[in-house]
Amino acid sequence: MPSAASRPGSGRGGFAVPASWAARLPLLARLRFAGPPLAVAAGGLAGAAYLWTRNPHLPGQALPFCPWRRITGLDCPGCGGTRMTYDLLHGDLAAAWHDNAALLLSLPLVALLYLTWLRHGLAGRSWRPPLERRGTAVLLGVAVAWTVLRNLL
């Protein structure tokens, strides 16, 4: 009898493909799993190309705004992310740190999670980050603490 990981529809990520089958999967079948991370990469590159030509530090740019900040006047955990990304694209690490230090510090973890997702997708497997309840609580706690600290300082 096949293991639970090799049965269709098993696991949190849906259909699991055994590693020995991954090499035999045709390209179109692999794109079912690799398509989403590749689409995220394409969207990120398109967004970066657009942001390269805009300066969010100047008024009147056609860029998104933070609804939380517009309503409350307070910074959310992601406020400054667009400016931070612009500064990173232009090689200004100090300005990126000033815009949103917590988001900047999280980028290596985000990159690691993305590359893991892409690697599994290219191998013909689905993947979801193993966050669970404790991880979710820690993530939300850090976001709340960062929001409070940045609005007090």
Side-chain angles (χ1 to χ4, degrees):
M1 179 166 184
S3 69
S6 64
R7 287 195 307 259
S10 65
R12 283 179 40 190
F15 185 78
V17 177
S20 62
W21 294 3
R24 298 182 209 148
L25 285 176
L27 180 62
L28 290 177
R30 285 188 188 197
L31 283 180
R32 175 177 179 258
F33 298 103
L38 291 173
V40 167
L45 288 173
Y50 178 77
L51 186 57
W52 177 266
T53 64
R54 305 288 187 261
N55 187 347
H57 298 285
L58 300 175
Q61 302 296 314
L63 294 168
F65 64 90
C66 175
W68 177 259
R69 185 170 185 177
R70 187 159 290 182
I71 292 169
T72 67
L74 300 172
D75 289 334
C76 76
C79 277
T82 303
R83 293 187 308 272
M84 181 204 71
T85 304
Y86 175 85
D87 292 334
L88 282 178
L89 288 171
H90 289 85
D92 192 349
L93 189 60
W97 177 265
H98 176 73
D99 293 330
N100 194 324
L103 200 55
L104 183 63
L105 289 174
S106 72
L107 286 181
L109 177 61
V110 170
L112 177 67
L113 290 172
Y114 173 77
L115 291 173
T116 303
W117 184 31
L118 179 63
R119 181 175 53 87
H120 280 269
L122 292 173
R125 298 184 303 267
S126 64
W127 181 81
R128 291 176 64 170
L131 201 55
E132 305 299 332
R133 285 186 177 177
R134 180 176 284 182
T136 302
V138 168
L139 184 65
L140 289 174
V142 168
V144 168
W146 171 241
T147 302
V148 170
L149 284 174
R150 73 186 310 202
N151 284 297
L152 290 177
L153 300 177

